Amino acid sequence: MADQKRVLILRLAGPLQSWGDQSRFNRRETRPEPTKSGVLGLLAAAQGRRREDAPGELLDLALGVRVDQAGTLLRDYHTVSDYRGRPLPQAAVNAKGVQKPTSPVKYTHVTQRYYLQDAVFVVGVAGTADLVDSLAAALRRPAFPLALGRRSCPPTHPIVLGLHTGTLNDALRDQDWQAGLAARREFQRRHGRPPHIDLPVTIETPDGDDVVHDVPLSFSLRDRAFTSRRVAHSWVSAPTGFSDPDEPTGAGHDPFALLGW
């Protein structure tokens, strides 16, 4: 049926990711997990939409994020100057749309960019079967190069993990743990080979107890606009994917396992 719901499951992994929301100009921060605006931007690029195109039916998608490997925060500090030795313009523009000169005159800007290093996320995108299937096809043969939040952050693995016919929570619970090899080896050294691991998830839901302001109404650089959505934070017990997991001990949930204690 055309109105049947389906979940597209993605693996977002790379040396660097950056999921900004409201930060601009000389300081660009990142959220600790993918934003809806960033994921919809990735999907729009795969479809061949341009920045001036409206998000359209992409806004009807619900988003779920599972943190398989949180990564670490990187601050990139650098300076910007005009190679011709000219004064730098400011962000503001005049009535003709031309950037105004800095006042007092500046020849160098200090900028800071923040990234997540070596992070891995499993993302579920839920919508109608027709839309979700078309997005899966587009991601396998994208119209534009795909990036993890910022153009300088390409993915290092195929993004599409598969399709799921259950709920967002079920899709994120059933997918095998996707952490990198080094993280899996360290986890195995400390905790053995358990069949499941507890991972944090954020699910978009109308009755969520938290609000995030990251739904893009426009991707245009001249007219960017966002609105809010409600989300719920919880945990899922996901399969570790070890080929020969240890037998469960019945010890129950260990809240310090992910901290390596």
Side-chain angles (χ1 to χ4, degrees):
M1 297 175 61
D3 59 352
Q4 181 183 359
K5 297 294 184 179
R6 191 166 295 170
V7 180
L8 174 61
I9 308 172
L10 311 176
R11 182 181 193 268
L12 304 184
L16 295 177
Q17 304 185 38
S18 188
W19 305 100
D21 47 10
Q22 298 301 305
S23 57
R24 285 182 164 187
F25 309 124
N26 292 340
R27 183 182 176 92
R28 305 288 179 88
E29 298 180 348
T30 179
R31 296 275 292 275
E33 60 186 46
T35 59
K36 187 165 187 176
S37 60
V39 173
L40 294 192
L42 182 149
L43 297 175
Q47 288 182 317
R49 297 180 190 240
R50 299 186 177 275
R51 283 189 175 272
E52 294 73 23
D53 297 336
E57 71 276 12
L58 295 180
L59 294 178
D60 296 329
L61 297 167
L63 184 72
V65 177
R66 191 181 82 186
V67 181
D68 284 35
Q69 188 171 315
T72 57
L73 187 65
L74 169 71
R75 184 185 72 153
D76 178 22
Y77 171 93
H78 57 99
T79 58
V80 178
S81 59
D82 191 308
Y83 72 95
R84 296 161 295 189
R86 296 178 180 177
L88 294 172
Q90 58 177 285
V93 297
N94 60 24
K96 296 182 178 180
V98 178
Q99 284 181 282
K100 299 177 182 179
T102 49
S103 179
V105 172
K106 293 183 180 179
Y107 291 89
T108 302
H109 276 315
V110 174
T111 72
Q112 300 181 70
R113 305 289 192 271
Y114 290 84
Y115 300 89
L116 299 175
Q117 301 178 103
D118 298 323
V120 180
F121 303 99
V122 171
V123 171
V125 179
T128 62
D130 288 346
L131 175 58
V132 167
D133 289 347
S134 69
L135 291 173
L139 287 169
R140 292 186 175 103
R141 297 183 64 86
F144 297 123
L146 305 180
L148 304 178
R150 207 174 283 164
R151 190 174 298 177
S152 59
C153 304
T156 53
H157 293 76
I159 286 179
V160 177
L161 284 175
L163 296 166
H164 195 282
T165 56
T167 66
L168 265 175
N169 193 79
D170 291 342
L172 296 179
R173 181 196 63 206
D174 296 343
Q175 181 62 50
D176 281 359
W177 187 32
Q178 297 295 312
L181 182 59
R184 292 174 64 84
R185 284 175 173 168
E186 178 62 15
F187 180 85
Q188 180 182 345
R189 184 183 71 82
R190 292 176 177 271
H191 307 290
R193 303 169 68 89
H196 292 86
I197 180 173
D198 292 336
L199 299 171
V201 296
T202 300
I203 304 287
E204 182 175 350
T205 176
D207 58 355
D209 55 5
D210 194 7
V211 177
V212 288
H213 193 74
D214 67 349
V215 181
L217 300 178
S218 169
F219 288 118
S220 173
L221 294 178
R222 292 182 176 272
D223 188 30
R224 299 199 72 180
F226 298 86
T227 188
S228 300
R229 63 189 175 108
R230 301 194 74 87
V231 298
H233 306 286
S234 61
W235 294 77
V236 294
S237 182
T240 56
F242 290 129
S243 57
D244 53 343
D246 300 333
E247 291 295 327
T249 62
H253 168 62
D254 179 2
F256 300 115
L258 290 178
L259 299 175
W261 298 353

